[in-house]
Amino acid sequence: MPNDKQSSKENQSVADILLSQNLITSQQYQDVKVKSASLAVSDISVIEDMNIVSEEKLTEAKALHLGIPFISLENTSFSPQALGYIPRAVVERFQLIPFIFDDKANTLSVAMANPVDLEAISFVQQKTGLTVKAFAATPSDVRRSIDQQYRQEIVGQVGEALKETEEYGKARIIDSSKIAEIIKEAPIAKIVSTILEYAVTSRSSDVHIEPQEDRVRVRYRIDGILYDRLSLPKTVQEAVISRIKILSEMKIDEHRSPQDGRFNFKVEDKEVDLRISVLPTTFGEKIVMRLLRKSGGLPTLNDLGLAGTSLKNLETAILRPHGIIIVCGPTGSGKTTTLYSVLSKLNTTRVNIMTLEDPVEYQIAGINQVQINPGVGLTFATGLRSFLRQDPNIILVGEIRDEETTDLAIQAALTGHLVFSTLHTSSAAGALPRLIDLGAETFLLASTMNAILAQRIVRRVCSSCKEAYTPLPQILDEIKNGLGLLYKEKDDVKLYKGKGCNECGSTGYTGRIGIYETLTISEKIAALVLQSADSGTIEKQAIAEGMITMKQDGYLKALQGVTTIEEVIRVAQE
């Protein structure tokens, strides 16, 4: 029985609702009413023809008018059990998609492009024997979700495994003494291996298994963005987590403190090293798995996106026999990958390269890699001190984070070593004042610093569905102002975006590329360091000397069709 508030909404037309929400003007409202009366068609048809409201807002208004809940499917977790109830042929015929199955209430929540299609609801209820809870969703959202969810093998395979667990999964309380038996059972092993196989084939860098109040959410980080891809029932939570713990050689009876582990996993010819982190949360232990690919080799500096003056300046700096080269950027901006690419370029039998990392992410043949272990006193500072007695030519220190490491890195550079490290600053110019804050003497810094590279990662436009478009005048002005003299005036400037296809999972992006700025320490910049100048002054001088900033590099890559302008603004906007 609808309440009074709902009834009042139902008495309003869709045009009335849009007007009350300020989504159309009074003039547009009058136009809709006149056309609706003169053509003898509904308000909705007129609004669709006039194209004055977005599809999502119009669907929301329709849902409100009908008293049906609205759902946006973009961030919805799909339950493999729910999807298993309705085959693809049926969902495509009726343009609907199931997303939650509630075994207690015996209900199936279904998103529908036409939520008042009684024939569709009746058909699904008869086929499944469940009560259908209808939700309104935009037609394009439903189409995209059908394509995504029914194309993914992960959902079907996990759904099959979950059916096998149902005989012990329903309302079964898992006894901790029997957990070892349960996790050996084929369905649980199959769920875990399917989750991992999808991670490898979808180019994920991380997998998050997150216990919620009523379910377990599985999210994948693909090209730097987290995507919700799977929803598991609460009944398999303990077994799945324990299976991963056993693979990682962790204690399965420890639930109160964080644990770390690792194991290898192979899919066809692709082998990945998985670093596992387990953390207790309110609803159970959350697991994050970082995937480190062993095959495929390290990318070259060109593959990473370094080009032009940025590449030339970096290559000049690394050819010097001693000095410091710093790579800057926030966590996850690809600093370690850049440094590994530089080291592999310098790696010959004639030099002794030593690295001190936290942790060692990739093993490189011919390089002596050491992982820090504060528990036994092996820190960046103590390790670096020991390195100097190992006759190195090139040293990589994972991160400069305290006064002692800063001092030792400068001493190593002064005594004829080439030192590489990373800093968490947002720009190349910001690294110099940061090092002074960490206790570096200005005169030593000015004489030992070779170059500073700052970077971010942007997603590449999918080559399979790339299309050109003419940007809005304000976007074009932003690019012109940002590039300044680097901008080449053209009559017809085009930018690019991906429409979304099977290759890119409807995201419009496949893979990533870096945007960079390389600051070389010229005489004038060294003089500014001696004066302890701020980062703004140093950056101004570097730009005057020809440095291309990260944002400019991003704009140039957007004009070349490598990435989108939205990506550049997302990662490089200060």
Side-chain angles (χ1 to χ4, degrees):
M1 181 83 181
N3 59 31
D4 293 341
K5 193 174 176 184
Q6 203 174 52
S7 300
S8 66
K9 292 288 182 196
E10 286 173 24
N11 293 334
Q12 287 185 304
S13 69
V14 170
D16 292 330
I17 292 168
L18 292 171
L19 180 66
S20 68
Q21 294 177 344
N22 295 322
L23 293 169
I24 57 173
T25 63
S26 301
Q27 183 57 53
Q28 287 171 328
Y29 175 79
Q30 293 302 331
D31 292 347
V32 167
K33 287 296 180 191
V34 169
K35 284 183 181 175
S36 171
S38 61
L39 298 171
V41 292
S42 69
D43 288 0
I44 296 167
S45 300
V46 176
I47 294 163
E48 282 172 347
D49 289 344
M50 288 172 71
N51 197 21
I52 51 175
V53 178
S54 71
E55 183 188 36
E56 187 171 346
K57 292 296 178 191
L58 182 57
T59 306
E60 275 189 67
K62 283 198 271 187
L64 200 59
H65 172 65
L66 295 166
I68 293 169
F70 171 82
I71 186 164
S72 170
L73 295 174
E74 194 173 354
N75 298 311
T76 299
S77 288
F78 286 84
S79 154
Q81 290 164 297
L83 291 161
Y85 274 107
I86 314 179
R88 182 162 189 161
V90 174
V91 296
E92 285 183 333
R93 178 180 151 200
F94 291 117
Q95 284 300 291
L96 52 81
I97 185 164
F99 58 95
I100 290 174
F101 164 61
D102 185 339
D103 57 341
K104 292 190 187 91
N106 219 32
T107 59
L108 189 67
S109 296
V110 179
M112 306 177 69
N114 179 12
V116 288
D117 185 344
L118 299 177
E119 184 200 344
I121 293 170
S122 170
F123 184 89
V124 171
Q125 288 189 157
Q126 281 176 355
K127 187 167 180 59
T128 62
L130 302 170
T131 305
V132 169
K133 283 172 74 175
F135 287 75
T138 64
S140 60
D141 228 2
V142 172
R143 281 194 301 274
R144 181 183 53 76
S145 297
I146 290 171
D147 188 49
Q148 267 187 1
Q149 299 302 325
Y150 282 86
R151 180 169 52 83
Q152 284 172 13
E153 288 179 27
I154 179 174
V155 172
Q157 288 174 355
V158 172
E160 289 298 312
L162 285 170
K163 278 180 191 168
E164 291 176 46
T165 69
E166 276 173 12
E167 65 267 18
Y168 71 79
K170 276 195 181 180
R172 175 178 174 182
I173 295 166
I174 292 171
D175 181 349
S176 60
S177 63
K178 294 179 183 171
I179 194 84
E181 295 165 36
I182 292 164
I183 59 175
K184 286 177 190 164
E185 291 177 28
I188 298 299
K190 173 84 165 150
I191 289 169
V192 172
S193 66
T194 306
I195 287 169
L196 292 173
E197 277 170 31
Y198 181 75
V200 176
T201 54
S202 66
R203 313 181 330 275
S204 301
S205 61
D206 302 83
V207 182
H208 293 236
I209 298 175
E210 302 169 312
Q212 314 266 289
E213 190 173 5
D214 55 346
R215 63 191 175 99
V216 180
R217 180 169 72 170
V218 182
R219 294 194 291 173
Y220 293 84
R221 192 177 289 281
I222 303 168
D223 294 334
I225 307 291
L226 272 173
Y227 294 97
D228 205 331
R229 286 285 186 258
L230 192 60
S231 181
L232 299 173
K234 201 76 176 162
T235 49
V236 298
Q237 176 179 311
E238 287 301 321
V240 166
I241 289 169
S242 295
R243 169 80 182 159
I244 294 166
K245 280 183 169 183
I246 280 196
L247 290 170
S248 320
E249 296 181 349
M250 295 179 198
K251 298 174 186 169
I252 61 166
D253 56 346
E254 176 56 76
H255 304 290
R256 294 172 302 171
S257 60
Q259 294 186 72
D260 292 304
R262 63 195 307 163
F263 65 92
N264 283 5
F265 184 76
K266 196 166 184 180
V267 180
E268 294 163 2
D269 59 337
K270 294 174 186 163
E271 190 177 353
V272 291
D273 189 7
L274 289 139
R275 276 213 328 262
I276 317 297
S277 168
V278 175
L279 187 74
T281 68
T282 316
F283 299 116
E285 289 168 292
K286 169 172 172 163
I287 291 184
V288 175
M289 300 189 272
R290 164 67 56 93
L291 280 78
L292 303 166
R293 282 160 181 77
K294 291 190 162 186
S295 45
L298 281 167
T300 64
L301 294 173
N302 281 107
D303 293 339
L304 293 174
L306 268 159
T309 53
S310 281
L311 178 61
K312 184 166 153 285
N313 290 342
L314 182 63
E315 286 182 330
T316 305
I318 65 177
L319 291 174
R320 290 175 65 181
H322 53 82
I324 300 175
I325 294 166
I326 301 274
V327 180
C328 308
T331 303
S333 60
K335 301 186 293 294
T336 308
T337 306
T338 301
L339 284 173
Y340 280 172
S341 297
V342 170
L343 289 186
S344 62
K345 191 179 170 74
L346 297 171
N347 188 15
T348 68
T349 52
R350 298 181 180 195
V351 290
N352 176 19
I353 301 177
M354 303 195 69
T355 77
L356 192 59
E357 304 171 60
D358 179 23
V360 172
E361 293 201 4
Y362 294 94
Q363 272 111 24
I364 310 172
I367 291 179
N368 307 289
Q369 295 171 274
V370 178
Q371 181 156 327
I372 73 161
N373 185 352
V376 296
L378 178 55
T379 63
F380 283 127
T382 57
L384 188 47
R385 193 173 275 114
S386 303
F387 271 23
L388 298 176
R389 296 193 285 274
Q390 288 276 324
D391 184 33
N393 299 95
I394 296 165
I395 297 170
L396 182 145
V397 187
E399 189 186 335
I400 291 177
R401 53 171 79 146
D402 57 39
E403 198 166 325
E404 195 179 0
T405 314
T406 308
D407 186 45
L408 286 164
I410 289 171
Q411 291 306 320
L414 284 170
T415 51
H417 304 91
L418 186 58
V419 180
F420 292 93
S421 193
T422 68
L423 264 182
H424 288 275
T425 60
S426 58
S427 68
L432 293 162
R434 175 87 181 108
L435 288 167
I436 293 168
D437 287 345
L438 286 170
E441 295 284 0
T442 54
F443 66 93
L444 293 177
L445 201 55
S447 59
T448 55
M449 194 63 69
N450 289 1
I452 302 162
L453 179 77
Q455 67 179 80
R456 299 284 190 281
I457 303 180
V458 291
R459 291 181 289 170
R460 282 178 178 269
V461 177
C462 174
S463 54
S464 302
C465 60
K466 181 156 104 176
E467 60 179 14
Y469 69 95
T470 304
L472 294 168
Q474 56 266 43
I475 298 288
L476 202 52
D477 289 341
E478 165 75 21
I479 293 171
K480 278 184 190 174
N481 295 335
L483 287 173
L485 297 171
L486 295 169
Y487 183 77
K488 291 183 176 65
E489 198 68 55
K490 281 196 296 185
D491 292 336
D492 186 25
V493 176
K494 295 283 184 194
L495 290 177
Y496 300 82
K497 63 182 176 187
K499 269 193 306 191
C501 64
N502 288 348
E503 289 294 314
C504 60
S506 303
T507 61
Y509 299 98
T510 46
R512 295 192 287 173
I513 193 165
I515 57 173
Y516 302 89
E517 63 187 28
T518 307
L519 188 152
T520 48
I521 310 301
S522 64
E523 283 182 24
K524 286 184 178 174
I525 287 173
L528 289 172
V529 173
L530 286 168
Q531 297 161 26
S532 299
D534 62 42
S535 58
T537 310
I538 294 168
E539 187 170 281
K540 210 171 176 181
Q541 180 58 37
I543 291 167
E545 291 175 12
M547 179 179 86
I548 293 173
T549 67
M550 254 185 309
K551 205 169 186 184
Q552 288 175 331
D553 189 30
Y555 285 156
L556 291 170
K557 285 185 168 93
L559 289 169
Q560 289 159 8
V562 176
T563 187
T564 63
I565 198 72
E566 290 81 9
E567 276 294 286
V568 177
I569 291 165
R570 178 177 71 86
V571 304
Q573 196 76 284
E574 292 302 321

